[in-house]
Amino acid sequence: MSNVITQRQAMLALNSLPLVGPVMLRRLMDEFSGDAVAVLGASGSRLAQVKGVGPKAVDVLVRWQQHFDLLREEARLEQSNTRFVIQEDAGFPSLLKEIYDAPIGLYWQGQYLVDRPCVAIVGTRRATLYGRSVAKRFASELARMGFCIVSGMARGTDTAAHEGALEVGGKTVAVCGCGLDIIYPPENLELYKEIVAKGAVVSEFCFGRRADRQTFPMRNRIVAGMSEAVIVIESDAAGGSMITARFAGEQGRQLLVIPGRIDQASSAGCHQLIRDGAMLVTSVDDVLEELRYARPAEPEFDFGEDDESTASADSCAGMSESERLVFACFEAGELVAPDSLCERLSLRPSEVSVALMSLELKRRIAKRGDGRFEAT
């Protein structure tokens, strides 16, 4: 490979070198007046003068071609129809440039380049049916109003947010915590393809980089950084969404939280954020008010259920007596285990089991991964 490289190539290499994190990279770029080529061409003694750059990082920078195959990475970019969008490009999200540890570049799949205000919707991977429904509805209406929905394409809340935007023909950006050659979670392959076709999937990580405890927080800072507001829907007190919320606060973004049930761990983080001063929201109009946007002059999005499910919810017709008793236990949105139903209703386990199976077949309730049930 020629010793002469371009600024974009140097940024691609710097972005992918081990031990060179976003903060160190920011300091290096500041020290060398934004010249990535100069950083890679600097001597070890010069690099060692930069605050926070230790001997191991100096060795990686001086011997960068041994740690990163630039030609192979460029070939993979071309083969996968991926661009490396740098801050100087018109398509780089403008708000993301404002944060201190902004990535110098993003791997970008999809023709869509952010051209409208962004709102992030995040929450637990173990979302309840209620949480997924709220995420999808908020995403749908905000997308119809012209916002781009940003999330992390994780299971649960993130997936529902992306789906909500896509279902109404809106725009959505998925920020990944791994290289774009790795689909994570793997069951979101079709969602990944649809987002690439209609929106964009982005990452700051080079090809081959797998998700780990370090990459997810880095991903979360980008989700918050490119958005005007972050909406949190269901998060336990130690969930990854709390990290995104912290970044939102540090970056001066609006932090909006939807409350949940007080007896569910999946809402503990949300209630903590509200206690700490985050804005409680219960409708998209609350979001618009906080962002100081007027509702567009168009038919209001229907937040209710469709006619079939609404009619079903308003009537217990066709249910047996045991089914009515069991279904009444779900009216407050409670998550219920079969054993607790037996105790509460004084019914035999066989009766409860038959009622639960019947209600599940009628799509009135759904079984969760933890063995409990909830209303749909």
Side-chain angles (χ1 to χ4, degrees):
M1 185 181 72
S2 170
N3 291 326
V4 179
I5 60 174
T6 66
Q7 176 79 345
R8 186 181 299 274
Q9 289 174 319
M11 286 186 168
L12 180 61
L14 278 172
N15 185 77
S16 305
L17 290 176
L19 302 181
V20 182
V23 174
M24 182 187 297
L25 185 51
R26 181 72 273 154
R27 290 172 177 169
L28 286 166
M29 294 295 285
D30 288 344
E31 184 71 20
F32 288 86
S33 303
D35 189 345
V37 176
V39 174
L40 293 180
S43 66
S45 58
R46 177 71 179 88
L47 292 168
Q49 297 174 12
V50 181
K51 181 181 178 182
V53 181
K56 292 183 178 180
V58 168
D59 184 69
V60 168
L61 289 163
V62 171
R63 305 175 189 275
W64 68 269
Q65 293 183 66
Q66 298 178 19
H67 295 275
F68 180 71
D69 190 333
L70 177 59
L71 291 181
R72 185 180 68 173
E73 195 76 358
E74 289 184 319
R76 296 178 76 174
L77 283 168
E78 184 176 357
Q79 292 167 2
S80 61
N81 198 25
T82 303
R83 290 165 290 169
F84 185 69
V85 179
I86 61 176
Q87 289 191 20
E88 288 72 18
D89 292 335
F92 193 92
S94 57
L95 280 181
L96 190 56
K97 298 178 186 178
E98 299 177 0
I99 68 174
Y100 173 72
D101 54 352
I104 60 174
L106 291 170
Y107 288 73
W108 198 287
Q109 288 186 2
Q111 294 303 310
Y112 175 67
L113 296 176
V114 177
D115 60 355
R116 62 194 67 190
C118 293
V119 172
I121 297 179
V122 299
T124 180
R125 289 172 171 80
R126 298 180 296 276
T128 64
L129 291 175
Y130 162 78
R132 291 195 294 271
S133 174
V134 171
K136 183 175 288 189
R137 291 175 182 181
F138 267 65
S140 293
E141 183 165 1
L142 288 168
R144 289 183 71 246
M145 293 179 182
F147 291 93
C148 174
I149 304 302
V150 179
S151 199
M153 210 175 70
R155 298 180 178 97
T157 307
D158 291 13
T159 293
H162 292 305
E163 290 174 343
L166 292 170
E167 284 179 2
V168 296
K171 296 301 182 183
T172 186
V173 172
V175 184
C176 296
C178 56
L180 293 188
D181 58 330
I182 300 171
I183 308 301
Y184 185 83
E187 63 266 27
N188 273 353
L189 173 60
E190 293 306 315
L191 176 62
Y192 184 104
K193 292 178 180 178
E194 188 174 3
I195 295 175
V196 169
K198 301 177 181 178
V201 178
V202 307
S203 173
E204 69 176 314
F205 302 109
C206 62
F207 293 115
R209 178 66 183 273
R210 294 192 173 276
D212 56 39
R213 291 186 177 182
Q214 181 183 13
T215 63
F216 283 126
M218 294 173 68
R219 181 273 308 271
N220 293 347
R221 91 184 192 287
I222 294 178
V223 170
M226 65 187 296
S227 305
E228 292 193 13
V230 173
I231 302 175
V232 182
I233 304 173
E234 292 190 330
S235 174
D236 60 39
S241 299
M242 299 296 282
I243 299 175
T244 310
R246 176 171 60 81
F247 280 126
E250 293 174 353
Q251 296 165 359
R253 308 299 190 244
Q254 292 279 5
L255 181 56
L256 312 175
V257 181
I258 294 176
R261 287 177 56 96
I262 63 173
D263 59 349
Q264 289 181 3
S266 61
S267 296
C270 293
H271 298 153
Q272 179 180 318
L273 292 172
I274 294 170
R275 251 190 342 264
D276 292 342
M279 179 59 61
L280 184 155
V281 296
T282 59
S283 70
V284 169
D285 285 321
D286 293 339
V287 177
L288 297 178
E289 182 177 351
E290 287 303 310
L291 295 179
R292 298 183 180 179
Y293 282 97
R295 179 180 282 275
E298 61 177 25
E300 186 172 344
F301 183 80
D302 183 10
F303 255 67
E305 300 175 342
D306 57 37
D307 293 340
E308 180 180 352
S309 59
T310 300
S312 178
D314 290 341
S315 172
C316 290
M319 287 188 187
S320 67
E321 182 60 28
S322 59
E323 288 172 9
R324 290 193 184 96
L325 290 172
V326 169
F327 187 66
C329 296
F330 295 92
E331 289 181 348
E334 189 173 353
L335 305 180
V336 186
D339 290 347
S340 66
L341 287 171
C342 294
E343 296 175 5
R344 188 185 308 182
L345 301 174
S346 298
L347 293 175
R348 294 191 304 273
S350 59
E351 291 180 285
V352 170
S353 178
V354 170
L356 288 172
M357 181 180 296
S358 179
L359 290 170
E360 195 172 7
L361 290 172
K362 293 174 180 176
R363 298 186 179 181
R364 304 301 300 278
I365 62 173
K367 189 175 184 179
R368 293 164 45 88
D370 59 8
R372 293 182 294 175
F373 290 82
E374 63 180 323
T376 54

